[in-house]
Amino acid sequence: MKSKNNKLMYVSAAVLAAGAVAGVNTQNAHAAEVQKQADKNAAQKTIDQNQKDLIQTQDQLNKAQAEHDEAVRKTSDAQANVLTADSNNQSAQNVLANAQDQLKTAQVAQAKAQANYDASYENNVKSAQNDVNKANADVKTTQEKINVQNTKQAEALTNRQGQEDALKTNTETLNKTNEEISKTQGQVNDAQKTYDDVNKDYQPVKAELDKQAKEASDAQKAADENAKELTQAQNELKTAQDTANKSAETINNAQAKLTNDTNALNGAKTELSSKQKQASDLTSQRDQVAKDLQTAQNKLNTAKAELDADKDAVVNTMVMPQVYKDTVKKWSTKDLTDDYYKEMAAASWIGWTQNEYKHNEAEKNHMVDLKHMSRADQIELNKFGIDLINQLRRQIGVDPWTFNESALDFANAIADRYVKDDWDSDANHHDGAGINELAHQYGLRYAVSRKDGAYSKDGQYYENLMTDRFGETEIPFAQAKANADKFGNPYNYSDQELAYNVNNTYAHSKDDYNNRLDDMDHLKNQVYNAVKRFAFNYNEWLHAYGILSQDFFDYSAKGKNYAAISFSVKPTKDRWGFDDLQLHFINVHESMVLDPKVFNVNANIPLDSNKSDASKQYSESLAQVNDLNAKKSNLDNQINGLTNDIKGLNTRISDLTKSISDTNKTLEDAKTTKADADKKIAVLPGHVQELKDKQASLDKTQSKAEADLATYQAKNKDLLAQFNAAKSNLDKLTAKLNDLNSAKSKAESAVTESKANLAKATSELSAISSRLDELKAKLSTAKTTKEQADANLAKAKAAYDEYVSTHKDVIDDLNKANSELADKTKAYNEAKEDAAKTDKEYQAAQDELTKLNNHIEDLSTAITNYESKIKQLNTTINKQKADQKRASLDAQINKALDNVSAPKHTATTTTGVQAGTSSPVASVGAVSTAQNGETLTNTVVRSNNASVLSPQTKKLVAQANASKNSLPQTGANDKLSVFAALAGLSLASLGLGSLVGEKKRKRN
């Protein structure tokens, strides 16, 4: 086998001879290659930017187109709203005009009736009544004012009496206080004389008492100070002992804490080192995954750009989220609990939202007869559906399904049996007996009933069934959600329920519906959604495991699985009254084939024959990008967790280091403190004993001084008692006299204030009496006026009553006209309000329609601009790619010619066939080439001077001929000359490599 790095060529002897003659100019080859690579990089960068702009513009176009379609859809509603509002407004205006005419008629009638009526009698009554009312009001108001003044007068009389009583009381209090002052002043004079007499004898004794009291006090003070010093010394001794004990305990604790913190610090450092290594390893893994992700994303972008450039290319993919794979793996060895259903539902919802069918506008015109499907239509739908399933199977690492002729016949037979049995799969699920009977006929394993040996109705091995309504499929979830938000969600469906249980109406004619015709795009949509529902259901996953060979279906994960999809339409309506479309997904594992002669395992149909390299690359890259994104996210989460752990460990190490430092300081401080305490303990006991001895002597001195003072006090007991009594009596009488003088001052102030208040109350009473006299005179006048007004009113009423009795018909006509005018006025005002309202609604509807039309016009302009830009970008990118391919082709041809011109090996031809020899019979020559110790043989077939070239060489030469750019002309011995010299010679395959890179859903 040749090495991948060896570049071997097989040429005929004539070619080698020609190559030996031709020379090649190789000056400055390295510099040229460097410049070519720089030009290539710059060109690729420009292409990448243009592709990025193309993708962005395409997204903008899609968004604008979607907005445009939605706005167009809304236009009909807006137009209908305008028409409705205009109709309502016209009706309201007609009603208003009619009401206005009726109002004018009523106004004319009322004016006529009013002209016939003599209002003077009624006006006289009203005028007389007004005079009576005014007179009554004046009488009432005046009487109320008199009542107010009477109340004020009573209050003023009460107030004046109170002030007179207060003046009397305060005067009596002042007189009584003056008498007490006079009496108490005499008692103070007598007490002062007695105090002065006793004080003469008391002063010498007091001097001696003060002297002896000072001696006793000094002795007490000395004893107290010594006792205080003694207590302080004893406390210092106890404190020193406690401090020494506590310091010893602190030393022991600090030493233990140092040991623990040191051990903990060493452990934290070890753990930190381990975490840092884990983080480093995971970061390396994450970086590699990120590189792989970028590579996959670049491939995806390239494939998408190529697909986008081809407007006819529509690629539908099916992506399996990593969380789905992880959840299935997690529960594969566990008993299923409620948590299983919650986690699978959550993972499936991610898969559901990530996968959406992409429509193919061209295929909407391709109608398919479901009653008589052509083999070509069956094969196209089968390739589409099986490819979707295989995309998922490849992503979970199981063998793909194989599309097989016998499997398709078996699937069609099952579909026919459902039609024959008019099988209601909604009510009865699988037609088990029919499937088992057909499996027997097709040489496959089948199930029978244990009771009677008949074909089993309860179990079958091959079918996953999706029953849908013919011609209908769900709208995208985003649209279902928007509809629920716009029109309401009365049953409070969850997002999952909204996604799984919506339908769309049939898009073709009634005749097409009755004849069971549907378009290819819609049928693929239903196949896509069937696979999507199998894989990403929200409450069961047996069908998912069935098509993906997971869990207890894992026996079919490896080996051949012969598969096909068929369609049947139930002849009659199901139990719900719907026309059922049944999609039969049939899978036959090779272990189920009993008779290969009946079920031909070799009659397989390739799936990729109609699938472009870009489509394949896109679907594979999309799956890889999703998986790598999940891996990167998982690694990021682990790294973030480790980063937090490392941060915590660094904090702990810092805390422990500080703690050790603090503990060392605490230990040193405790040792110093204990040493100081020990010094005090050595000297304080002697000092305490000295103070105790001194305290005994001071206590004796204090006792003697207190005894001498007590003896002297006893000797002068009577004199001291007389002095204290005289002083106490004098102090008591003096205080009483001071209190009386203070009371006298207050009594004088109270008398003065009472006199002023009495004068004010007397003045207010006089003013109230004057006002009261005025009001009584006014009341008399008002009563006289009231009597005259009552007489005038009686006279006016009599005249009015006589007029009414003699003109009853005129008054009845006026009342009727007034009533009619009131009704018509009310009707006119209501009609006016309705007309204003409908006019406003019409204007609002017209404004909305105008706004919508303007928006559609703006979007149409934007769409045209986007399409123009996309066309321009596609043209630019295609030209750039063509230039790039031509440049690459030029380089390969130049490289090939370099090798032809200057071969580094020898070739031996085993047959003597020469170039230019004409022969009617094809000749075969075996050419062997020796290089690096290897011998390789290649067969060269020649006929009539023309060599049969390898596919790569054919493509290379064809591209060279098609290129508008020729190789550079550098002289007679240049590469082009060599290439031209080889024309007509017999060429074998040049080893250059290829230029192109390889509302009711039912599920049974």
Side-chain angles (χ1 to χ4, degrees):
M1 177 178 290
K2 68 180 181 179
S3 168
K4 293 182 179 179
N5 295 324
N6 293 334
K7 298 176 182 177
L8 304 182
M9 298 182 185
Y10 306 103
V11 295
S12 67
V15 172
L16 293 175
V21 174
V24 179
N25 186 354
T26 60
Q27 291 181 342
N28 299 322
H30 179 68
E33 287 299 322
V34 171
Q35 182 60 43
K36 287 177 183 178
Q37 186 61 43
D39 294 342
K40 180 179 179 181
N41 293 341
Q44 185 60 50
K45 184 175 181 182
T46 303
I47 292 175
D48 292 342
Q49 182 60 46
N50 286 335
Q51 287 177 333
K52 182 177 179 182
D53 293 344
L54 177 61
I55 292 171
Q56 181 180 359
T57 306
Q58 185 64 55
D59 291 340
Q60 293 171 334
L61 173 60
N62 293 339
K63 182 178 179 182
Q65 188 64 58
E67 290 185 17
H68 179 273
D69 294 344
E70 178 65 16
V72 170
R73 186 190 68 76
K74 291 180 178 179
T75 301
S76 60
D77 294 339
Q79 289 172 338
N81 291 339
V82 170
L83 292 175
T84 300
D86 185 34
S87 176
N88 293 339
N89 188 34
Q90 290 297 328
S91 298
Q93 294 295 339
N94 293 336
V95 171
L96 176 61
N98 185 45
Q100 189 173 20
D101 292 340
Q102 293 182 13
L103 176 60
K104 289 180 180 178
T105 301
Q107 287 172 336
V108 171
Q110 194 274 343
K112 183 177 180 182
Q114 187 69 50
N116 294 331
Y117 174 70
D118 187 354
S120 62
Y121 295 95
E122 184 179 357
N123 292 336
N124 289 337
V125 172
K126 291 180 181 180
S127 176
Q129 184 64 56
N130 290 335
D131 292 341
V132 170
N133 294 340
K134 184 176 183 301
N136 286 334
D138 289 343
V139 171
K140 182 180 177 182
T141 301
T142 305
Q143 184 60 56
E144 288 174 350
K145 291 179 179 179
I146 289 173
N147 294 339
V148 170
Q149 293 302 318
N150 285 333
T151 300
K152 289 184 177 180
Q153 187 181 51
E155 292 174 351
L157 287 170
T158 301
N159 181 42
R160 186 179 67 177
Q161 185 60 48
Q163 296 303 327
E164 289 174 348
D165 294 342
L167 176 59
K168 180 180 179 183
T169 300
N170 292 332
T171 301
E172 291 174 351
T173 300
L174 177 59
N175 294 334
K176 185 178 180 181
T177 301
N178 285 330
E179 293 175 358
E180 283 292 321
I181 289 174
S182 177
K183 178 181 177 183
T184 304
Q185 185 63 56
Q187 293 173 347
V188 169
N189 294 336
D190 293 341
Q192 183 67 49
K193 183 176 182 301
T194 301
Y195 173 79
D196 292 341
D197 292 341
V198 175
N199 190 43
K200 290 179 182 179
D201 297 330
Y202 171 73
Q203 286 304 319
V205 174
K206 180 178 182 299
E208 183 61 28
L209 280 172
D210 290 342
K211 174 184 176 185
Q212 291 187 13
K214 183 177 183 306
E215 291 175 353
S217 174
D218 292 344
Q220 177 68 45
K221 182 178 179 181
D224 290 343
E225 290 177 352
N226 188 78
K228 182 178 179 181
E229 188 177 355
L230 173 60
T231 300
Q232 182 178 355
Q234 289 173 331
N235 289 338
E236 288 180 1
L237 176 60
K238 184 177 184 306
T239 299
Q241 291 171 337
D242 291 343
T243 299
N245 294 334
K246 186 175 180 181
S247 297
E249 182 180 357
T250 300
I251 291 170
N252 293 333
N253 292 337
Q255 289 174 336
K257 190 172 189 305
L258 277 176
T259 301
N260 293 335
D261 286 353
T262 301
N263 293 336
L265 178 61
N266 293 333
K269 287 181 177 179
T270 301
E271 185 178 359
L272 175 63
S273 177
S274 175
K275 296 283 186 183
Q276 288 172 332
K277 186 178 185 305
Q278 292 178 45
S280 177
D281 293 342
L282 289 175
T283 301
S284 298
Q285 295 178 37
R286 193 267 314 275
D287 293 344
Q288 184 58 48
V289 169
K291 292 180 182 177
D292 295 341
L293 175 61
Q294 186 59 51
T295 300
Q297 187 66 53
N298 291 339
K299 290 182 179 178
L300 179 65
N301 294 340
T302 300
K304 186 176 186 306
E306 292 186 18
L307 290 175
D308 291 341
D310 183 1
K311 292 186 177 180
D312 295 329
V314 177
V315 179
N316 274 286
T317 57
M318 193 69 69
V319 178
M320 176 66 71
Q322 184 64 39
V323 64
Y324 186 103
K325 294 187 281 187
D326 294 341
T327 304
V328 172
K329 182 178 180 181
K330 171 183 175 181
W331 287 97
S332 62
T333 58
K334 295 181 178 181
D335 293 334
L336 303 186
T337 66
D338 289 343
D339 289 341
Y340 163 79
Y341 292 96
K342 292 178 182 178
E343 292 178 20
M344 283 300 297
S348 296
W349 182 240
I350 295 174
W352 183 275
T353 55
Q354 286 183 351
N355 293 284
E356 197 68 57
Y357 177 75
K358 297 178 180 63
H359 289 279
N360 189 323
E361 295 300 321
E363 291 183 346
K364 290 183 179 180
N365 298 320
H366 178 176
M367 299 301 290
V368 178
D369 185 349
L370 287 165
K371 289 183 177 180
H372 310 92
M373 288 183 69
S374 68
R375 195 70 166 181
D377 287 343
Q378 287 183 327
I379 289 174
E380 182 173 353
L381 287 166
N382 267 268
K383 286 183 175 182
F384 177 79
I386 294 174
D387 175 66
L388 291 174
I389 293 173
N390 283 344
Q391 289 181 40
L392 294 174
R393 291 178 69 88
R394 279 193 294 269
Q395 292 173 57
I396 62 175
V398 299
D399 290 347
W401 280 4
T402 299
F403 183 25
N404 179 270
E405 290 276 6
S406 291
L408 182 57
D409 292 339
F410 180 38
N412 287 335
I414 291 174
D416 291 341
R417 183 59 174 266
Y418 272 71
V419 174
K420 177 183 176 182
D421 294 344
D422 194 13
W423 191 260
D424 190 343
S425 54
D426 178 64
N428 303 313
H429 307 295
H430 298 275
D431 188 355
I435 294 172
N436 282 308
E437 181 180 350
L438 291 170
H440 187 189
Q441 295 175 12
Y442 276 83
L444 305 173
R445 295 184 186 276
Y446 60 94
V448 296
S449 172
R450 294 183 180 181
K451 294 181 180 180
D452 54 11
Y455 294 111
S456 175
K457 299 179 181 179
D458 302 323
Q460 54 85 30
Y461 305 123
Y462 306 104
E463 178 184 70
N464 281 283
L465 176 65
M466 175 64 70
T467 303
D468 207 343
R469 298 180 188 177
F470 168 70
E472 298 185 22
T473 189
E474 68 272 4
I475 58 180
F477 167 66
Q479 185 177 345
K481 180 69 171 174
N483 289 345
D485 293 339
K486 181 177 180 181
F487 302 112
N489 184 7
Y491 299 104
N492 297 316
Y493 287 134
S494 66
D495 285 352
Q496 287 82 349
E497 289 170 331
L498 286 174
Y500 281 77
N501 294 287
V502 291
N503 296 294
N504 221 1
T505 57
Y506 184 65
H508 302 291
S509 68
K510 185 65 176 179
D511 288 341
D512 286 345
Y513 182 90
N514 292 334
N515 292 320
R516 300 298 186 256
L517 300 180
D518 203 355
D519 63 82
M520 179 63 75
D521 174 70
H522 188 255
L523 288 174
K524 286 184 178 180
N525 192 357
Q526 289 183 298
V527 171
Y528 186 96
N529 289 335
V531 176
K532 180 175 172 180
R533 288 175 179 278
F534 283 151
F536 305 118
N537 206 332
Y538 68 101
N539 59 4
E540 67 87 15
W541 294 275
L542 290 178
H543 292 85
Y545 296 160
I547 66 171
L548 300 179
S549 299
Q550 294 175 298
D551 206 349
F552 51 84
F553 295 100
D554 59 2
Y555 72 91
S556 60
K558 299 297 180 183
K560 289 287 187 180
N561 291 273
Y562 304 103
I565 305 170
S566 61
F567 302 78
S568 62
V569 181
K570 190 175 182 297
T572 62
K573 295 187 182 297
D574 65 15
R575 61 173 177 166
W576 304 107
F578 296 115
D579 294 316
D580 285 349
L581 172 66
Q582 296 149 335
L583 285 73
H584 311 267
F585 288 75
I586 306 303
N587 175 36
V588 180
H589 188 256
E590 60 186 357
S591 62
M592 294 294 184
V593 180
L594 300 179
D595 190 349
K597 295 180 181 178
V598 178
F599 189 95
N600 188 352
V601 297
N602 295 317
N604 299 323
I605 303 174
L607 291 176
D608 295 330
S609 59
N610 64 338
K611 191 171 184 182
S612 68
D613 291 338
S615 299
K616 184 177 180 181
Q617 181 65 58
Y618 179 80
S619 61
E620 291 176 353
S621 297
L622 181 60
Q624 188 178 12
V625 166
N626 286 324
D627 283 347
L628 289 171
N629 268 323
K631 289 180 181 178
K632 183 176 180 297
S633 178
N634 182 42
L635 289 169
D636 284 336
N637 291 336
Q638 294 184 57
I639 292 170
N640 289 337
L642 287 170
T643 300
N644 291 333
D645 292 344
I646 290 170
K647 182 178 179 181
L649 286 169
N650 280 323
T651 300
R652 177 164 171 72
I653 289 171
S654 176
D655 292 343
L656 287 169
T657 301
K658 184 177 183 303
S659 177
I660 290 172
S661 175
D662 292 344
T663 303
N664 276 321
K665 186 176 184 305
T666 300
L667 181 61
E668 294 303 319
D669 290 345
K671 289 179 178 179
T672 301
T673 301
K674 186 175 184 304
D676 293 340
D678 289 340
K679 291 179 181 178
K680 291 181 179 180
I681 291 172
V683 299
L684 280 173
H687 182 53
V688 168
Q689 188 58 47
E690 291 176 359
L691 290 173
K692 285 182 178 180
D693 295 340
K694 183 179 180 182
Q695 187 65 40
S697 174
L698 291 172
D699 287 342
K700 291 179 181 179
T701 302
Q702 178 189 356
S703 297
K704 182 179 183 304
E706 289 176 349
D708 292 344
L709 177 61
T711 300
Y712 190 76
Q713 286 175 336
K715 180 180 178 181
N716 296 281
K717 176 180 179 182
D718 295 338
L719 179 60
L720 292 174
Q722 291 175 11
F723 175 79
N724 290 332
K727 186 176 185 306
S728 175
N729 187 44
L730 178 61
D731 291 341
K732 181 179 178 181
L733 291 171
T734 302
K736 181 180 180 181
L737 181 61
N738 291 334
D739 292 339
L740 288 170
N741 285 325
S742 177
K744 176 184 178 182
S745 177
K746 291 179 180 179
E748 289 174 343
S749 297
V751 169
T752 301
E753 182 178 359
S754 295
K755 289 178 179 180
N757 290 339
L758 178 59
K760 180 179 179 183
T762 300
S763 175
E764 290 176 351
L765 181 59
S766 176
I768 291 171
S769 296
S770 297
R771 176 61 177 158
L772 192 57
D773 291 341
E774 293 174 1
L775 290 172
K776 286 178 180 179
K778 184 177 181 182
L779 177 61
S780 177
T781 301
K783 285 180 178 181
T784 301
T785 303
K786 178 181 181 302
E787 290 172 357
Q788 182 62 44
D790 287 339
N792 292 338
L793 177 59
K795 183 178 179 181
K797 282 184 176 180
Y800 176 72
D801 290 341
E802 182 180 357
Y803 179 78
V804 170
S805 64
T806 57
H807 296 80
K808 188 175 184 302
D809 55 341
V810 174
I811 294 173
D812 289 342
D813 290 343
L814 179 59
N815 290 336
K816 182 178 178 181
N818 285 333
S819 177
E820 184 70 17
L821 178 61
D823 292 341
K824 298 307 179 184
T825 301
K826 180 180 179 183
Y828 171 76
N829 291 333
E830 291 175 350
K832 187 176 181 180
E833 290 179 359
D834 289 343
K837 179 181 178 183
T838 55
D839 185 66
K840 184 177 181 181
E841 291 173 348
Y842 168 73
Q843 191 59 47
Q846 186 65 49
D847 292 344
E848 181 64 25
L849 179 60
T850 301
K851 180 180 178 182
L852 194 59
N853 286 329
N854 291 338
H855 186 50
I856 291 173
E857 184 177 350
D858 293 342
L859 288 171
S860 297
T861 303
I863 289 171
T864 300
N865 293 337
Y866 289 143
E867 288 176 341
S868 176
K869 184 176 180 181
I870 288 172
K871 183 177 179 181
Q872 180 182 359
L873 286 169
N874 276 324
T875 301
T876 302
I877 291 171
N878 290 335
K879 182 178 184 303
Q880 290 171 335
K881 286 186 176 180
D883 293 344
Q884 195 178 43
K885 288 182 178 178
R886 281 196 296 271
S888 176
L889 181 63
D890 291 347
Q892 292 184 60
I893 292 175
N894 289 338
K895 192 170 184 180
L897 292 173
D898 285 342
N899 289 332
V900 171
S901 301
K904 297 181 180 180
H905 58 274
T906 60
T908 303
T909 305
T910 58
T911 58
V913 181
Q914 297 184 5
T917 302
S918 176
S919 173
V921 180
S923 58
V924 179
V927 182
S928 64
T929 301
Q931 185 179 11
N932 295 336
E934 296 179 351
T935 300
L936 302 170
T937 301
N938 182 54
T939 301
V940 183
V941 182
R942 307 178 184 87
S943 177
N944 296 332
N945 295 337
S947 299
V948 180
L949 305 180
S950 71
Q952 293 89 344
T953 305
K954 285 182 179 179
K955 191 168 185 178
L956 186 65
V957 174
Q959 290 179 345
N961 291 333
S963 175
K964 295 180 181 180
N965 297 331
S966 61
L967 296 174
Q969 304 296 317
T970 57
N973 294 326
D974 64 11
K975 295 176 182 178
L976 182 61
S977 300
V978 176
F979 187 81
L982 298 180
L985 298 181
S986 300
L987 293 179
S989 174
L990 297 176
L992 300 178
S994 174
L995 297 179
V996 183
E998 308 269 281
K999 159 156 207 209
K1000 170 171 64 76
R1001 299 286 179 182
K1002 301 183 289 292
R1003 190 173 295 97
N1004 299 291

PDB file of all heavy atoms in Angstrom, residues 1-8 934 991:
ATOM      1  N   MET A   1       0.866  -1.192   0.000  1.00  0.00           N
ATOM      2  CA  MET A   1       0.000   0.000   0.000  1.00  0.00           C
ATOM      3  C   MET A   1       0.891   1.226   0.000  1.00  0.00           C
ATOM      4  O   MET A   1       1.858   1.311   0.758  1.00  0.00           O
ATOM      5  CB  MET A   1      -0.908  -0.001   1.236  1.00  0.00           C
ATOM      6  CG  MET A   1      -1.784   1.228   1.333  1.00  0.00           C
ATOM      7  SD  MET A   1      -2.881   1.174   2.769  1.00  0.00           S
ATOM      8  CE  MET A   1      -3.990  -0.131   2.221  1.00  0.00           C
ATOM      9  N   LYS A   2       0.533   2.226  -0.818  1.00  0.00           N
ATOM     10  CA  LYS A   2       1.366   3.425  -0.872  1.00  0.00           C
ATOM     11  C   LYS A   2       1.040   4.353   0.282  1.00  0.00           C
ATOM     12  O   LYS A   2      -0.069   4.384   0.787  1.00  0.00           O
ATOM     13  CB  LYS A   2       1.183   4.148  -2.199  1.00  0.00           C
ATOM     14  CG  LYS A   2      -0.214   4.770  -2.379  1.00  0.00           C
ATOM     15  CD  LYS A   2      -0.297   5.469  -3.708  1.00  0.00           C
ATOM     16  CE  LYS A   2      -1.661   6.109  -3.884  1.00  0.00           C
ATOM     17  NZ  LYS A   2      -1.788   6.815  -5.154  1.00  0.00           N
ATOM     18  N   SER A   3       2.044   5.144   0.704  1.00  0.00           N
ATOM     19  CA  SER A   3       1.844   6.109   1.777  1.00  0.00           C
ATOM     20  C   SER A   3       0.979   7.257   1.287  1.00  0.00           C
ATOM     21  O   SER A   3       0.971   7.609   0.114  1.00  0.00           O
ATOM     22  CB  SER A   3       3.197   6.646   2.250  1.00  0.00           C
ATOM     23  OG  SER A   3       3.012   7.759   3.081  1.00  0.00           O
ATOM     24  N   LYS A   4       0.236   7.864   2.237  1.00  0.00           N
ATOM     25  CA  LYS A   4      -0.605   9.008   1.885  1.00  0.00           C
ATOM     26  C   LYS A   4       0.225  10.185   1.404  1.00  0.00           C
ATOM     27  O   LYS A   4      -0.280  11.042   0.694  1.00  0.00           O
ATOM     28  CB  LYS A   4      -1.460   9.429   3.085  1.00  0.00           C
ATOM     29  CG  LYS A   4      -2.493   8.397   3.471  1.00  0.00           C
ATOM     30  CD  LYS A   4      -3.318   8.887   4.624  1.00  0.00           C
ATOM     31  CE  LYS A   4      -4.377   7.858   5.012  1.00  0.00           C
ATOM     32  NZ  LYS A   4      -5.181   8.317   6.161  1.00  0.00           N
ATOM     33  N   ASN A   5       1.490  10.263   1.827  1.00  0.00           N
ATOM     34  CA  ASN A   5       2.321  11.415   1.475  1.00  0.00           C
ATOM     35  C   ASN A   5       3.044  11.227   0.146  1.00  0.00           C
ATOM     36  O   ASN A   5       3.648  12.149  -0.370  1.00  0.00           O
ATOM     37  CB  ASN A   5       3.341  11.694   2.569  1.00  0.00           C
ATOM     38  CG  ASN A   5       2.669  12.118   3.858  1.00  0.00           C
ATOM     39  OD1 ASN A   5       1.662  12.813   3.799  1.00  0.00           O
ATOM     40  ND2 ASN A   5       3.208  11.717   4.991  1.00  0.00           N
ATOM     41  N   ASN A   6       3.046  10.014  -0.374  1.00  0.00           N
ATOM     42  CA  ASN A   6       3.721   9.769  -1.657  1.00  0.00           C
ATOM     43  C   ASN A   6       2.828  10.218  -2.799  1.00  0.00           C
ATOM     44  O   ASN A   6       1.622   9.970  -2.780  1.00  0.00           O
ATOM     45  CB  ASN A   6       4.046   8.289  -1.824  1.00  0.00           C
ATOM     46  CG  ASN A   6       5.096   7.846  -0.809  1.00  0.00           C
ATOM     47  OD1 ASN A   6       5.876   8.654  -0.366  1.00  0.00           O
ATOM     48  ND2 ASN A   6       5.093   6.563  -0.482  1.00  0.00           N
ATOM     49  N   LYS A   7       3.377  10.885  -3.778  1.00  0.00           N
ATOM     50  CA  LYS A   7       2.624  11.349  -4.938  1.00  0.00           C
ATOM     51  C   LYS A   7       3.142  10.574  -6.146  1.00  0.00           C
ATOM     52  O   LYS A   7       4.151  10.928  -6.731  1.00  0.00           O
ATOM     53  CB  LYS A   7       2.790  12.846  -5.121  1.00  0.00           C
ATOM     54  CG  LYS A   7       2.256  13.639  -3.928  1.00  0.00           C
ATOM     55  CD  LYS A   7       2.528  15.087  -4.087  1.00  0.00           C
ATOM     56  CE  LYS A   7       2.018  15.844  -2.857  1.00  0.00           C
ATOM     57  NZ  LYS A   7       2.328  17.284  -2.926  1.00  0.00           N
ATOM     58  N   LEU A   8       2.470   9.465  -6.484  1.00  0.00           N
ATOM     59  CA  LEU A   8       2.931   8.567  -7.543  1.00  0.00           C
ATOM     60  C   LEU A   8       2.210   8.864  -8.842  1.00  0.00           C
ATOM     61  O   LEU A   8       1.027   9.192  -8.827  1.00  0.00           O
ATOM     62  CB  LEU A   8       2.685   7.113  -7.120  1.00  0.00           C
ATOM     63  CG  LEU A   8       3.320   6.718  -5.770  1.00  0.00           C
ATOM     64  CD1 LEU A   8       3.044   5.256  -5.491  1.00  0.00           C
ATOM     65  CD2 LEU A   8       4.812   6.979  -5.781  1.00  0.00           C
ATOM     66  N   GLU A 934       8.770   0.424  -2.982  1.00  0.00           N
ATOM     67  CA  GLU A 934       7.489  -0.203  -3.234  1.00  0.00           C
ATOM     68  C   GLU A 934       7.320  -0.405  -4.733  1.00  0.00           C
ATOM     69  O   GLU A 934       7.751   0.399  -5.527  1.00  0.00           O
ATOM     70  CB  GLU A 934       6.339   0.663  -2.712  1.00  0.00           C
ATOM     71  CG  GLU A 934       6.362   0.845  -1.212  1.00  0.00           C
ATOM     72  CD  GLU A 934       5.212   1.717  -0.759  1.00  0.00           C
ATOM     73  OE1 GLU A 934       4.530   2.287  -1.623  1.00  0.00           O
ATOM     74  OE2 GLU A 934       4.990   1.800   0.460  1.00  0.00           O
ATOM     75  N   GLY A 991      -1.785  10.662 -10.304  1.00  0.00           N
ATOM     76  CA  GLY A 991      -2.194  10.543  -8.898  1.00  0.00           C
ATOM     77  C   GLY A 991      -2.315  11.874  -8.208  1.00  0.00           C
ATOM     78  O   GLY A 991      -1.601  12.156  -7.259  1.00  0.00           O
TER      79      GLY A 991
END
